[in-house]
Amino acid sequence: MYYNNETVIYLNGQWQLAKDTSTGLYQQSFHYGNGVFEGIRAYATDQGAQILRAEAHYERLLYSAKMMHLDVDYSVEQLIQLTQELLAKNNLQDAYIRPLVYAEEKLGLQAENKSNLFLCAWDWSQYFAAGELSMKVSPYCRPDPRSCHVDAKVSGHYVNSILAMKDAHNEGFDDALLLDQKGYVAEASGANIFCQKDGALFTPPKGNILPGITRSIVMQLAAANGITVHEKLFTPDELMAADGAFLTGTAVEIQAIGSINRQPFKLPWPDTFGATLQQQFHQHVRLRKVKFKKTKAA
Ligand code: PMP
């Protein structure tokens, strides 16, 4: 799924075939999760493949690397240029791009500054099958922001997401909703959450979440539609009493949530702000002019 015999990847200054690439087994990243990464989308448009918010993603990659003391000898511009080459070499239009910065070989716990840069991409359409998600409030909470830099996209943080997702799948749910240490809603295993209540949108503030780039696009689209977005903490009970809710993320884009703990939301999805924003988001990423609909809140 990720690569075939012809797939070209970038590793430390070299373009090479994925099938011929190997790396060491003694890296800190492999043993302790000390690596940082990004998930980026490219979309086919009338003007060729367009990387969505490339700058914001690579700024976040460099920020994440800095927080983990990993040195990266590439600028945002160089990383974007390499990504464009990667797409061209693999003849990709609708793609998911995965840059990974991983540490050099060292099994001690002293931060390892020297890093490797790996870039790969593959053909991509949709993360979740179409439809509305059934989500479960997870028994696993988000990592405590006093334990690690939760606003950085660090490989090791994702063991939390993997455990939460597995628990949700075991019980027949599509995804997990993780709370912070105080019991407020934080985010899904790999996406941010918004809910709609009384003609406005609510989303958890920065602090316990990965502040998503899609989250910020949605906030911009909401503002352009005259929809107020409150960055405010809310509990799972408050969420379940909302009119509707959706996830946002590079992979999930804007994804309807149908129910939490099997309790459905009040409004049918097509009647929610989420549905309007979802439609506009799809136009936006394909560089089509977004026609703003007059919403109830406008
Ligand atoms: N939270 C987590 C934990 C994630 O992994 C992601 C995906 N990167 C997001 C939120 C959404 O972020 P973005 O919109 O930048 O993809």
Side-chain angles (χ1 to χ4, degrees):
M1 172 201 172
Y2 302 108
Y3 67 93
N4 58 33
N5 284 347
E6 280 89 51
T7 303
V8 176
I9 58 100
Y10 178 88
L11 182 64
N12 297 330
Q14 309 261 315
W15 294 104
Q16 49 198 78
L17 289 175
K19 72 174 174 69
D20 297 336
T21 305
S22 61
T23 190
L25 291 174
Y26 294 83
Q27 278 126 7
Q28 247 186 7
S29 311
F30 199 27
H31 292 252
Y32 310 129
N34 181 18
V36 299
F37 69 101
E38 268 306 316
I40 309 176
R41 277 289 318 259
Y43 290 91
T45 76
D46 295 343
Q47 295 164 42
Q50 294 289 323
I51 307 167
L52 185 64
R53 301 283 163 118
E55 235 176 272
H57 279 284
Y58 280 120
E59 276 164 10
R60 187 168 69 186
L61 183 75
L62 296 185
Y63 168 77
S64 301
K66 187 167 152 225
M67 299 322 278
M68 292 310 298
H69 313 283
L70 289 164
D71 297 336
V72 180
D73 297 331
Y74 297 81
S75 65
V76 166
E77 294 69 34
Q78 285 170 324
L79 291 163
I80 295 174
Q81 176 64 36
L82 287 170
T83 307
Q84 279 158 348
E85 282 178 54
L86 178 74
L87 293 176
K89 283 182 193 295
N90 288 290
N91 202 14
L92 289 168
Q93 294 271 323
D94 278 309
Y96 185 87
I97 302 147
R98 166 53 54 85
L100 171 71
V101 172
Y102 63 96
E104 270 294 309
E105 299 207 337
K106 178 191 268 183
L107 291 184
L109 291 178
Q110 312 88 324
E112 173 54 64
N113 308 113
K114 281 201 217 111
S115 75
N116 300 276
L117 174 69
F118 170 55
L119 299 177
C120 63
W122 57 89
D123 204 33
W124 178 268
S125 56
Q126 243 184 328
Y127 186 72
F128 288 115
E132 297 171 21
L133 295 186
S134 113
M135 296 192 66
K136 177 201 169 178
V137 176
S138 183
Y140 294 99
C141 73
R142 285 285 297 157
D144 192 315
R146 291 167 299 184
S147 319
C148 52
H149 300 288
V150 292
D151 61 344
K153 208 164 160 62
V154 178
S155 304
H157 295 178
Y158 283 80
V159 293
N160 173 246
S161 300
I162 289 170
L163 287 171
M165 181 72 118
K166 178 70 183 160
D167 170 76
H169 281 179
N170 279 349
E171 293 184 23
F173 293 91
D174 298 312
D175 198 3
L177 179 68
L178 288 87
L179 309 183
D180 68 19
Q181 309 75 48
K182 293 196 174 129
Y184 291 106
V185 171
E187 59 188 332
S189 57
N192 295 115
I193 185 163
F194 286 75
C195 69
Q196 176 177 341
K197 179 83 181 159
D198 299 333
L201 289 176
F202 293 81
T203 193
K206 293 178 187 175
N208 282 292
I209 60 167
L210 182 81
I213 291 160
T214 323
R215 175 182 179 272
S216 68
I217 298 174
V218 164
M219 287 164 92
Q220 287 170 348
L221 287 176
N225 279 282
I227 302 168
T228 307
V229 181
H230 300 284
E231 290 183 80
K232 193 173 168 295
L233 293 172
F234 50 86
T235 63
D237 284 346
E238 286 171 315
L239 171 63
M240 284 192 260
D243 298 326
F246 56 90
L247 298 182
T248 66
T250 300
V252 306
E253 302 175 307
I254 297 181
Q255 171 67 50
I257 305 175
S259 62
I260 309 275
N261 290 355
R262 310 252 181 252
Q263 186 179 308
F265 286 104
K266 292 202 187 90
L267 288 180
W269 170 249
D271 296 350
T272 62
F273 292 151
T276 306
L277 295 172
Q278 186 184 48
Q279 204 196 358
Q280 293 177 359
F281 179 83
H282 286 299
Q283 288 173 289
H284 171 72
V285 299
R286 306 248 174 230
L287 302 182
R288 297 197 184 111
K289 240 185 152 33
V290 178
K291 281 195 208 87
F292 292 110
K293 220 164 74 176
K294 260 219 171 319
T295 64
K296 281 171 224 156

